[in-house]
Structure formats: structure tokens, C-alpha cells
Amino acid sequence: MPSSDMHNYDRDELFIDGQWVRPASTAAIEVIDPATEHVIGRVPAGSVEDVDAAVAAARRAFDPLIGIGERYERLTRVIEAMEKRLPAIAETITREMGAPIRIAQSVQTQVPLAVARGFAEALRTFEFEERIGNSMVLREPYGVVGAITPWNYPLYQVVAKVLPAIAAGCTVVLKPSNEAPLSVFEFVEALQAAELPPGVVNLVSGPGRVIGERLSEHPDVDFVSFTGSTGVGSRVGELAGKTIKKVALELGGKSANVILDGADLATAVKVGVGSAFLNGGQTCMAWTRMLVPQAHYGEALDLVEAAVSKYPVGDPWDPSTRIGPSASQSQYESVVGFIERARRDGSRLLLGGPEKIRDIGYYVAPTVFADVDPESELGQEEVFGPVLAVIPFTDTEDALRIANGTPYGLSGAVWAADDAAAIAFARAVQTGQLDINGGKYNPAAPFGGYKKSGIGRELGRIGFEEYLQVKSLQLPA
């Protein structure tokens, strides 16, 4: 385990108007290592006054006529500065939210780098003007952005909001999660090293009910981008609606891994278990429902058991660990509650369970339930932990009914005998993104949800466009 002396985990300043400043209050939020249950650092518990100062700085820094060349230079400097700090940021992510170091050094940091480069390419190739008949259609920066990010992928979620905002010419006030804010402070230090003009990006940590609510309702914030729970997202939308500002919401999911007759069952199960348990199941796009043909159900359960045996739980600093602790005590308690209720509701516990598996740390055993009623809580609601529900179906129509039978529609997968059959099924699935027969992740593809999984899209050119607004100039003949 690296020494904490290499990092500054006792933060007592916010980043506003290009400099680190003392907040209005001395109140602080403790950051707890979920593997040891020890306090490892603190960040300021900001106030409404801090948000107002940060928004004022962002408003002063916003130039609606900023050139594309200047945006591109800012973006490339940020990417270069961030890349230099990724090894240190990976260590901080492991320490603050328990991601195994192998995940922190790959998915948690290298995916954000790929996403950042995708935004640079989107900016480089984007057409900001087009002619439609006698009109010139312009795409201009949206303005001041309030970015509210969660704890499960702290760097990725920040990059997915701050980088397209910079590329679009917007300015940002960023609110990180309370559970995993330290890596975000290190990211902002990279922005400082990139020498962005004062006020382009500002950082205010603190309670969601204070910082998040003020950003959502602030009359000088033009656009709020939020990632988190559906309940909080609804509140963000409610507050933002009072000032008629744009909102993008990336919310919960209960994604289905649909394995149709004729598919490569062994591969589909193996990949599906990996998706369900990635990052300890703390992934909004995790395939947490595995739908299997009734005729192959027993074989699928055997394959699930074999796959889960290769996911050891343990010390996140051990390179062999694939599942670390839940990110916080409250998250651990929530996951255990889901497991206990699922067992009472009649689902058959195949592996794992709610029992404590280590004396210290918020560890949950990888848990699999069979014979899950699609209408039960486990079949409907996001657990956000290492819990997989395996559900049999009778035919393709039944599989589609189950896949579409939740309030969510964020992600998922379809496996079939050939791509054409999988794509035909996928067209009827009400979700924002689907992997077809193991298609690989594409950081340039738009990501977002149907139904209660959200509004708007992130990543790539389409995610970049969220930060632009459209103006039409009707020209004389």
C-alpha cells in the first residue's frame, strides 16, 4: 500500500476563480477507507456562499464567443496534465472507495483517459455551422454548467462532464461526492497545472442538500448535469425547472443480460458475471439480471457458479483481488438489506449471502439468486452491489417482456446465434445501450438511458453536443 504522505488528503480549501480559497465555514466531511473503516482525510463542507462565489467566478469566465482553437488548446493541456497524474489518482480511488487496485489502474483511470481523448476528437472534427435552406445554423456554448458527480467512478464521471464542457466553451462548477472526493481534488490540481483561465472550472465539495440543491436552483447556472440515484435526480430536475434550465440526468439501471437460444451460453454467462461484479457491482450499467432460456437454465446456473468462483473478495491493494469492499457503511448496509429481503421474498440463494465475511471493512460476498420473480424487488430495483439475479424465460417474447419490465432502461446485452438475430431483439429493448454478442465498449458512443434511467446522453460527439445550444440565422435570398 503506498504511503499517504504521497497525497494530500487533508483538504481545507475549495478551488474557486483559479485559486485555492478558504470556504465560508470550517465544517468538514470525513473520508473513510472502506477496507479499513479508518478516516483517511477530510474535505470542506461547503456552503451556499461558496456555491454563489464559484458560480459568480464561472459567469465572469464565460465567453460565449470563445474560439475553437482556444478550446482545443485548453482541452489538450488538461488531458496531458491529467494523464501524468493517473497513477496517483488510481491509488486515491482505491483508498477512498475500495476499488481493487487492478480496477483503479485500468477501468477507473484509463477509461476516463480514452473518454477525454474522444472529446478532443469530437471537438477537432465537429461542424459548428451548417446551412439549412436560407438559414445558417450555429452551435454555441451553453454557458455555466453545474456538474454533480457520484462516488462509484469518481474520475470517469468528472471527465464525462467537465471535458465536454471545456470543449464546448462552457465554464463549470463541480460538486464531487462526499464518499470519494479526494481523487477529484487531485484532478482539479491537474486542471490548475494546465493553466486554465480563472473561473473556467471551480470545485465546491459539501452536502448534496446544500451544494447540489443550490447549483440546481441557481439562476446563473444554465445547465445542470447530474449522475446518481433516480430519487436525487428527480429532485435536481424539480429544482432546475424553477429557473427553466437545461438538465441532463444519468440515473439508475437494472440492466438485462439476455441470452437467447442458440447463443454461446458459456461465453455469455462468463462475460455477464464480469459485468455484474465489476467494481463490486457498483456500476450503473451493470447487467444485474441474467435472462436464460428455461431449457438451458440448469446448465447456466452451473456456469454461473464456476464463473463466480474466479472473483475473489479481499484487500483492494492485492493485485489478485477482483472484488473489494462496498464504498461506504451505508452502501454495505443497503446491499445486505436487499439480500436479506430477496431471500425472504422467495428467491433461491445460490451463492454468497448477507453474512459478514471479514471482521474489518464493508465487504459483501458475491451473491447470486436463482428463480427470481421478475416482479420482485430484486427483479425490479438497483442494488448497487455484487448481487446477480438469474431469471428463466420460456421464449423470445417472454424474454422481451422481462427485459422491458422494469422502470429503468440504461444498458444491457443480447446474445444470440448470430448478430442479425441479436440486433433484431435489441431493437425492441427499451434501453439506451446494448452489447451485441460481446461487442466491446466504445467510449465514443453515446451513453444514457430510457425511462427512469435518465435524460440526455454522455460521451463522444453526441455527449459533446449536450453542452451546445442552437441558433438559427435566416439569411436574405
Side-chain angles (χ1 to χ4, degrees):
M1 181 188 300
S3 169
S4 58
D5 294 340
M6 299 169 58
H7 303 268
N8 175 14
Y9 288 161
D10 281 312
R11 302 283 185 167
D12 57 5
E13 294 178 319
L14 304 171
F15 192 72
I16 298 175
D17 207 14
Q19 56 188 331
W20 294 100
V21 299
R22 294 283 182 178
S25 164
T26 59
I29 295 170
E30 292 183 336
V31 182
I32 297 172
D33 180 340
T36 65
E37 303 183 37
H38 293 157
V39 175
I40 58 166
R42 294 165 182 81
V43 298
S47 65
V48 168
E49 291 83 357
D50 298 314
V51 175
D52 290 349
V55 171
R59 178 57 64 190
R60 289 192 298 270
F62 176 59
D63 176 7
L65 300 179
I66 182 174
I68 297 169
E70 172 62 20
R71 299 183 212 173
Y72 192 79
E73 289 178 9
R74 291 180 182 181
L75 196 63
T76 52
R77 293 201 307 269
V78 167
I79 293 171
E80 290 170 2
M82 179 182 77
E83 185 173 10
K84 293 176 182 177
R85 287 165 169 75
L86 290 182
I89 291 174
E91 292 174 357
T92 297
I93 290 172
T94 293
R95 194 182 298 273
E96 69 183 348
M97 59 79 58
I101 190 65
R102 63 189 287 174
I103 300 298
Q105 291 173 340
S106 56
V107 178
Q108 289 275 7
T109 49
Q110 293 305 309
V111 170
L113 181 60
V115 166
R117 289 171 173 164
F119 286 126
E121 179 64 13
L123 175 59
R124 189 184 68 80
T125 59
F126 194 79
E127 297 291 336
F128 287 89
E129 299 181 5
E130 64 174 316
R131 290 294 294 267
I132 300 177
N134 71 309
S135 298
M136 179 183 293
V137 179
L138 312 177
R139 287 169 174 80
E140 301 178 338
Y142 217 97
V144 175
V145 176
I148 305 172
T149 59
W151 48 262
N152 58 324
Y153 289 93
L155 179 64
Y156 165 83
Q157 299 287 0
V158 167
V159 166
K161 300 182 190 304
V162 173
L163 273 288
I166 293 172
C170 299
T171 57
V172 182
V173 179
L174 171 61
K175 184 229 175 295
S177 72
N178 293 338
E179 292 80 7
L182 298 172
S183 55
V184 182
F185 275 74
E186 293 181 337
F187 167 79
V188 171
E189 287 179 333
L191 299 185
Q192 187 178 26
E195 298 183 341
L196 295 181
V200 171
V201 178
N202 307 271
L203 173 67
V204 181
S205 56
R209 290 187 178 275
V210 177
I211 310 305
E213 296 216 353
R214 180 57 177 159
L215 278 175
S216 300
E217 70 184 8
H218 201 295
D220 251 355
V221 172
D222 302 301
F223 173 24
V224 177
S225 180
F226 168 82
T227 298
S229 71
T230 299
V232 177
S234 176
R235 176 63 174 166
V236 168
E238 175 189 350
L239 292 171
K242 294 179 180 180
T243 50
I244 319 299
K245 61 168 57 73
K246 179 175 179 176
V247 175
L249 305 173
E250 198 269 277
L251 307 175
K254 192 67 181 177
S255 300
N257 179 27
V258 183
I259 307 173
L260 299 174
D261 266 322
D264 181 342
L265 184 63
T267 299
V269 168
K270 178 182 176 182
V271 176
V273 167
S275 171
F277 292 156
L278 176 64
N279 205 41
Q282 299 167 136
T283 303
C284 60
M285 60 188 291
W287 309 339
T288 54
R289 294 181 297 152
M290 182 179 291
L291 278 54
V292 182
Q294 183 71 63
H296 302 290
Y297 191 55
E299 180 185 359
L301 293 179
D302 290 341
L303 289 167
V304 168
E305 290 195 62
V308 174
S309 69
K310 297 178 181 177
Y311 281 79
V313 180
D315 181 356
W317 295 100
D318 184 339
S320 68
T321 294
R322 300 186 75 174
I323 298 180
S326 293
S328 66
Q329 182 176 357
S330 62
Q331 189 58 32
Y332 166 81
E333 292 171 352
S334 174
V335 173
V336 168
F338 270 103
I339 295 171
E340 291 174 338
R341 291 191 298 276
R343 195 158 56 178
R344 290 199 300 267
D345 288 345
S347 295
R348 176 162 60 94
L349 183 63
L350 192 69
L351 295 167
E355 292 75 23
K356 194 171 181 64
I357 60 172
R358 293 175 74 112
D359 291 336
I360 303 296
Y362 308 128
Y363 291 91
V364 178
T367 298
V368 179
F369 282 97
D371 307 339
V372 176
D373 180 350
E375 302 301 320
S376 68
E377 181 187 54
L378 186 62
Q380 290 285 311
E381 297 298 330
E382 184 176 53
V383 177
F384 230 58
V387 181
L388 173 63
V390 187
I391 303 171
F393 63 84
T394 56
D395 54 27
T396 301
E397 184 178 322
D398 189 38
L400 183 62
R401 177 188 63 81
I402 296 169
N404 286 337
T406 78
Y408 304 103
L410 188 57
S411 186
V414 182
W415 304 79
D418 56 67
D419 291 352
I423 292 170
F425 184 91
R427 289 182 185 277
V429 180
Q430 298 164 0
T431 193
Q433 188 173 75
L434 285 160
D435 290 6
I436 301 298
N437 281 335
K440 70 177 182 178
Y441 174 76
N442 179 2
F447 178 74
Y450 285 28
K451 301 188 285 187
K452 288 188 177 181
S453 286
I455 301 169
R457 293 295 181 269
E458 293 187 323
L459 309 185
R461 177 184 61 81
I462 293 175
F464 168 58
E465 287 188 70
E466 292 279 355
Y467 293 81
L468 301 169
Q469 51 188 344
V470 179
K471 176 186 290 180
S472 296
L473 307 181
Q474 278 56 258
L475 306 179

